[in-house]
Amino acid sequence: MSRWLLALAVFLVPAPPLRAVAKNVGGIEVTVADNPSSRVTHGYQALRVRLRNTGTSEARVTLAYPASHQENVYWDRLESTSRTYTLAPQTTVESSFYIPDVPVSGTGLLVTAPKEKAVLDLLLAGAGNAYAAPVSFRIVASRSVSKEALETALQPREIEGPPDPSRGSVLTVGATTLPFPPVAPLPGGGSAPTPTIFPVERWEEDAATWPAEWIAYSSVDAVVLAAADAARLRPEARDALLSFTEAGGVLAVFGAFETPRGWREDPGNGTLRSFRAGFGRAFLVDAATPAALGPFVLEPVAEAIVKTATTLNADRVPASAAWAELPRLPARALFVVLLVIMITIGPLNIAVLARKRRPMLLYATVPAVAIFSSLSLVGYALSNEGLARSVTRSLLTLLDESAQRAVTIGWTGYYTTFTPGGGLLFSPLTELGSTGEPWQWGRQPKRLAVDFTEGQRLARGFVEARVPARFSVRHVEPRRERLVFAREGSAWVVTNGLGVDLAELWLNPPSGGLCGATSVRAGQKAALTAKPPGEALSAALELDVRDVFATSWEALEGRMSGAGPQLRPGTWLARVARSPFLADGLDVRTRKETSYVLGTSPVLPEGLP
């Protein structure tokens, strides 16, 4: 083992855990629970807070992070993420407080109570860190799982480095090769120990107190549980972990665990059973602890972690503004208009007033012509562009009708003539990743603000006038919409219960025989017609949504447009012009959208691919 590999471990060692902090602020007892965390490189970081009103009257308490800011920061940063709570007398509220995936340059949690303000000493480990490690895996284990044994079991087969360490190295995990950044060789001699490629952080708290919202796990790549800990999960926390997995995460359980009906088990498993769980992967290990396993038994788990981490740490949606189709400004016409204004307000104005011997009128004519010209230019711009409030988006939703759960990934973009006063409003269960342009000389860094009091409001800085803004999206929530399929004679019919019109529908029934329909209006019943034999499914082309998840989300529309013939038996695919599974964010006037819904029905029992 080359000694320069020890330097590689510097990038992979978790940050120290946070300590619990508590303080009484104006009669409000504020406690931030112990929140051990590695460096966070994607997703939302969750703070577990407990607020108790010890007074005799109702109180409004606002939490805001960070309380102080580092000066002379030349990149976009989160100036404030806040939430306001209303507490009745002698009541206690336990909640999660989220920090989005945005660079933060500050410390401290500001608590604003009715009669007092105070700052709790708090520094999050790498939240939105602008200098995050290029390769990072975040693996969380329950307290009954041995951290050391799990790290050993996840070690890859091979770490290869060239003779010159400055050229970097290659990590091989199963069939996946992952480049590591160049590192400088360590001074001195001796051999370096094998670095821990998959560092594990163990949550020592009882699983019965784990978070009940999937977004609290969005910064995690994998969750590893012992069966005893999994049995202690509250139903809400168990659902949150299932949602986390279906949104692209990795779940591994040592021992018995009941998987949802819609999860499809891969064939040929022994000690390690593998399941296709929405966009993610789940594993059941027939062993009590990682120490009881042979070498490389968990290699499929490690490979799934690598796939999830590299996908979520990458720029899922590039920042290119070509999607916005911005109106072109007639540069020549504007130049002519500005030239006319300059001549009118200058030489022509002076000549006319000199001829009339009234030079003092310059104090009135110059402002008048300037105001008229400015209003004319604004009017011209509005007539050319209009009062634009447009949304452009492409989404893919997995709809499990039996579990009544919808998982959505994709991207959404906005363009407005004026800055929206109320910002953007989403569900607090929506993970948004900003894809704004990097800071450049001459551009003022943005000061961003988010408020979680009523939903998730991107209050300031995310969308500005005449500047395209785009976000990657992951969203999970319970939904009851469905398509109702039935047999009438030898044909299939469908009743559209999604609440939106279907531009196109594909169905591959359990018995085979690809069929579909076009232009099915909301609430309408339509007969499905057989597709041509040439569009029959080839087993080699069967759709795997895990692969769709791992590719650029900007290409969702192109990837899914030809996915109809690739459906597994028992699944359907619908193309819609407006997805009902993600909020618009603001009141839009124009929309450009091509989204897809991939689902199952209780009468189609095969399950999601």
Side-chain angles (χ1 to χ4, degrees):
M1 181 67 62
S2 300
R3 64 178 181 270
W4 56 267
L5 287 176
L6 182 60
L8 173 63
V10 174
F11 291 102
L12 305 171
V13 175
L18 299 175
R19 297 180 178 179
V21 291
K23 194 169 187 176
N24 190 302
V25 182
I28 307 297
E29 294 179 355
V30 182
T31 303
V32 180
D34 190 22
N35 186 41
S37 173
S38 300
R39 184 185 299 276
V40 174
T41 56
H42 65 79
Y44 288 25
Q45 190 162 6
L47 289 179
R48 308 277 298 283
V49 298
R50 182 185 298 110
L51 305 174
R52 174 169 175 76
N53 183 4
T54 61
T56 57
S57 59
E58 184 178 86
R60 286 173 58 87
V61 184
T62 299
L63 305 182
Y65 182 88
S68 60
H69 303 279
Q70 178 183 346
E71 299 299 329
N72 301 322
V73 174
Y74 298 105
W75 57 79
D76 299 345
R77 72 182 184 191
L78 183 67
E79 192 166 71
S80 171
T81 178
S82 60
R83 182 170 181 177
T84 299
Y85 302 84
T86 301
L87 304 177
Q90 302 296 319
T91 59
T92 301
V93 171
E94 293 188 3
S95 177
S96 291
F97 180 76
Y98 298 109
I99 314 297
D101 181 21
V102 179
V104 179
S105 298
T107 62
L109 180 68
L110 177 63
V111 182
T112 303
K115 299 180 180 179
E116 185 181 353
K117 289 184 179 181
V119 175
L120 275 66
D121 187 15
L122 186 66
L123 173 62
L124 298 185
N129 196 309
Y131 300 106
V135 178
S136 179
F137 309 110
R138 188 179 181 203
I139 304 167
V140 167
S142 61
R143 65 181 182 181
S144 298
V145 177
S146 169
K147 166 183 165 65
E148 293 76 13
L150 181 58
E151 290 177 344
T152 301
L154 289 172
Q155 277 294 96
R157 291 177 184 268
E158 190 174 2
I159 306 175
E160 297 179 348
D164 179 8
S166 64
R167 292 169 51 196
S169 60
V170 174
L171 167 69
T172 301
V173 181
T176 303
T177 58
L178 186 68
F180 275 94
V183 292
L186 295 180
S191 60
T194 302
T196 300
I197 302 301
F198 296 99
V200 175
E201 60 180 88
R202 191 168 67 176
W203 285 4
E204 297 295 345
E205 62 179 308
D206 189 348
T209 65
W210 278 27
E213 302 88 17
W214 90 269
I215 198 79
Y217 305 92
S218 62
S219 63
V220 176
D221 300 315
V223 174
V224 181
L225 292 164
D229 295 325
R232 292 188 55 78
L233 290 169
R234 293 172 294 161
E236 299 84 359
R238 186 182 189 277
D239 286 345
L241 282 175
L242 299 183
S243 298
F244 152 79
T245 308
E246 295 182 2
V250 178
L251 176 66
V253 181
F254 284 84
F257 184 78
E258 183 180 357
T259 59
R261 174 187 173 188
W263 290 10
R264 176 188 170 196
E265 184 173 1
D266 292 325
N269 290 288
T271 303
L272 185 68
R273 299 170 60 192
S274 173
F275 296 83
R276 301 187 183 190
F279 294 112
R281 284 293 182 267
F283 300 89
L284 298 186
V285 188
D286 187 14
T289 65
L293 299 175
F296 310 122
V297 171
L298 295 187
E299 189 171 60
V301 180
E303 192 168 2
I305 293 172
V306 169
K307 195 167 193 175
T308 291
T310 52
T311 298
L312 297 181
N313 285 325
D315 291 331
R316 286 164 271 173
V317 182
S320 168
W323 58 271
E325 297 181 357
L326 303 180
R328 294 184 177 181
L329 294 176
R332 292 183 179 180
L334 285 178
F335 175 77
V336 172
V337 170
L338 291 175
L339 189 61
V340 170
I341 292 173
M342 292 172 60
I343 294 174
T344 302
I345 207 171
L348 183 60
N349 187 26
I350 294 174
V352 170
L353 294 181
R355 186 174 181 178
K356 294 186 175 183
R357 296 184 178 181
R358 304 189 67 178
M360 296 300 294
L361 285 180
L362 280 172
Y363 292 103
T365 56
V366 170
V369 174
I371 293 173
F372 175 78
S373 303
S374 300
L375 293 176
S376 299
L377 290 174
V378 171
Y380 175 78
L382 292 178
S383 64
N384 182 56
E385 181 180 291
L387 294 174
R389 259 196 172 191
S390 63
V391 61
T392 304
R393 63 186 193 175
S394 180
L395 307 171
L396 171 60
T397 298
L398 302 185
L399 178 62
D400 188 342
E401 296 180 6
S402 299
Q404 296 184 344
R405 179 162 46 238
V407 184
T408 301
I409 66 170
W411 62 271
T412 179
Y414 300 91
Y415 180 80
T416 61
T417 304
F418 300 103
T419 302
L424 303 177
L425 180 62
F426 293 94
S427 162
L429 299 179
T430 301
E431 179 204 83
L432 298 164
S434 177
T435 58
E437 295 181 359
W439 181 83
Q440 298 176 351
W441 289 106
R443 183 174 76 83
Q444 184 70 20
K446 296 179 182 180
R447 300 293 181 257
L448 310 173
V450 184
D451 184 75
F452 284 91
T453 303
E454 296 179 355
Q456 178 182 181
R457 185 177 296 279
L458 309 187
R460 183 176 70 250
F462 289 91
V463 178
E464 298 179 335
R466 299 178 59 82
V467 178
R470 186 158 61 161
F471 307 87
S472 61
V473 175
R474 282 199 300 167
H475 179 72
V476 187
E477 67 175 345
R479 297 298 291 253
R480 295 182 178 273
E481 292 91 338
R482 61 178 55 207
L483 296 184
V484 181
F485 294 93
R487 294 295 295 266
E488 291 189 359
S490 60
W492 284 90
V493 296
V494 62
T495 301
N496 180 7
L498 290 186
V500 295
D501 297 345
L502 309 183
E504 188 174 15
L505 173 66
W506 296 75
L507 169 67
N508 193 3
S511 57
L514 201 63
C515 55
T518 58
S519 302
V520 183
R521 300 184 64 84
Q524 179 183 350
K525 184 178 181 180
L528 305 185
T529 58
K531 293 293 182 180
E535 296 182 352
L537 171 68
S538 169
L541 297 176
E542 184 176 299
L543 179 66
D544 187 349
V545 295
R546 176 72 168 172
D547 291 337
V548 177
F549 168 82
T551 57
S552 172
W553 295 0
E554 188 175 32
L556 274 180
E557 181 180 349
R559 178 65 181 84
M560 298 304 298
S561 61
Q566 301 174 12
L567 293 177
R568 288 190 62 252
T571 60
W572 55 265
L573 177 67
R575 177 168 57 87
V576 297
R578 183 180 69 83
S579 175
F581 300 106
L582 183 72
D584 286 340
L586 78 166
D587 183 19
V588 298
R589 293 187 174 90
T590 59
R591 173 190 305 275
K592 181 183 178 183
E593 177 177 351
T594 302
S595 295
Y596 292 86
V597 183
L598 177 62
T600 60
S601 173
V603 300
L604 307 172
E606 294 297 324
L608 288 171

